[in-house]
Amino acid sequence: MIKLSSSIALLCSLSVANINNIHAQEKPLEPWQQAEKTEVWTPVPAIVSAMPGKVPSDAIVLIDSQNLEQWEALAGGPAQWTVDNGKVTVAPGKGDIKTKQSFCDIQLHMEWQVPQPTADMEGQQRNNSGIFFQQRYEIQVLDSFDNPTYSNGQAASVYKQTIPLANAMRPPQTWQVYDIIYQAPRFSGEKLSSPAYVTVIHNGVVVQNHTEILGTTEWIGAPKYAAHGCAPLQLQDHGNLVSFRNMWVREL
């Protein structure tokens, strides 16, 4: 028994000695070797051509200077808005239009213009429209240049929910630019698991910064969520001659 214990002790001491020996022989890693441990090489991002003034190569063009092929009336059939001089203009009374394609998470670029208002136009009646994501969640389009109205209804607001961080509106008859990052809500069955979020850059100014959307943007009543999937973008006919051009989307 004593001999066996002595043998075990000898083996243990030899093992420890060997381990210490190995450690002593290991060289410290060079900085570049240490750096390699946190390098990730795959997947490799897709190449997107994004030349100045050009539409990104992977974008879907929704409005160009020639037609409304990507759009239709809400009830189906051709969109009845006016295409002229490189822009698309609301045809008052013809109704909202929607994209034929459905979307979830997207990057949206759009340019819009309001005409010179008449003397009797003020507040929400001063050249109004809107862009609806998934036909439910509206970012307001409105002439908010020197035009008092309720703050959660001015240009670049999440309509009736979130006031923009700034009023970046240019004068009427000047082209406005929206760049919008939209994250669609998530549902687990009929239950909301994650709300929608939106970032809006108006004329180069961040006016909504990863803003939570509380639900549908209602004119009357509280916002609410009901389970849905991807859905079209929708442009509003509010009875005013608001124009749009250079509108494209990238699916995220």
Side-chain angles (χ1 to χ4, degrees):
M1 191 71 175
I2 294 171
K3 287 183 179 179
L4 180 61
S5 298
S6 299
S7 298
I8 292 171
L10 179 60
L11 285 172
C12 287
S13 64
L14 287 172
S15 297
V16 170
N18 286 337
I19 291 169
N20 289 336
N21 230 12
I22 291 167
H23 284 193
Q25 291 172 11
E26 284 182 353
K27 294 180 180 178
L29 294 177
E30 295 291 333
W32 65 268
Q33 293 172 310
Q34 296 177 41
E36 277 186 338
K37 291 185 175 183
T38 52
E39 293 175 0
V40 179
W41 286 64
T42 58
V44 177
I47 295 173
V48 175
S49 174
M51 302 303 291
K54 302 293 184 181
V55 176
S57 59
D58 65 343
I60 300 166
V61 177
L62 297 177
I63 291 179
D64 59 20
S65 60
Q66 299 178 20
N67 58 61
L68 277 168
E69 287 183 357
Q70 300 292 331
W71 299 80
E72 62 184 359
L74 284 190
Q80 298 294 317
W81 289 15
T82 305
V83 181
D84 186 43
N85 292 326
K87 61 186 179 182
V88 171
T89 303
V90 176
K94 296 294 186 181
D96 294 8
I97 61 174
K98 65 178 181 177
T99 56
K100 295 176 181 178
Q101 184 171 340
S102 293
F103 300 99
C104 283
D105 299 348
I106 58 170
Q107 172 189 349
L108 174 70
H109 175 90
M110 58 183 282
E111 299 172 17
W112 55 278
Q113 182 189 64
V114 295
Q116 190 66 37
T118 58
D120 61 338
M121 283 182 168
E122 58 183 27
Q124 293 293 303
Q125 302 310 312
R126 189 166 155 181
N127 293 315
N128 189 327
S129 183
I131 174 70
F132 287 81
F133 292 83
Q134 298 184 296
Q135 295 191 278
R136 293 166 174 83
Y137 316 111
E138 180 187 9
I139 299 300
Q140 176 71 302
V141 169
L142 180 74
D143 182 358
S144 291
F145 186 80
D146 194 22
N147 178 33
T149 188
Y150 47 89
S151 295
N152 64 351
Q154 73 176 64
S157 63
V158 179
Y159 184 69
K160 284 289 187 82
Q161 292 184 27
T162 307
I163 299 167
L165 298 171
N167 183 347
M169 191 75 187
R170 294 167 179 164
Q173 298 181 300
T174 306
W175 284 101
Q176 317 287 331
V177 179
Y178 278 172
D179 285 293
I180 301 174
I181 309 299
Y182 172 75
Q183 179 178 308
R186 270 58 171 171
F187 299 91
S188 179
E190 296 299 312
K191 185 178 179 182
L192 178 72
S193 56
S194 177
Y197 290 91
V198 68
T199 295
V200 180
I201 301 172
H202 183 193
N203 293 330
V205 178
V206 175
V207 292
Q208 300 286 349
N209 184 17
H210 195 61
T211 299
E212 179 180 341
I213 296 176
L214 305 177
T216 49
T217 48
E218 306 287 344
W219 180 41
I220 298 172
K224 55 187 179 293
Y225 274 109
H228 64 83
C230 298
L233 292 166
Q234 183 172 323
L235 287 173
Q236 184 184 44
D237 172 8
H238 202 275
N240 301 123
L241 297 172
V242 180
S243 298
F244 300 88
R245 72 176 186 187
N246 194 21
M247 184 172 180
W248 52 260
V249 64
R250 295 181 64 246
E251 295 180 285
L252 302 177

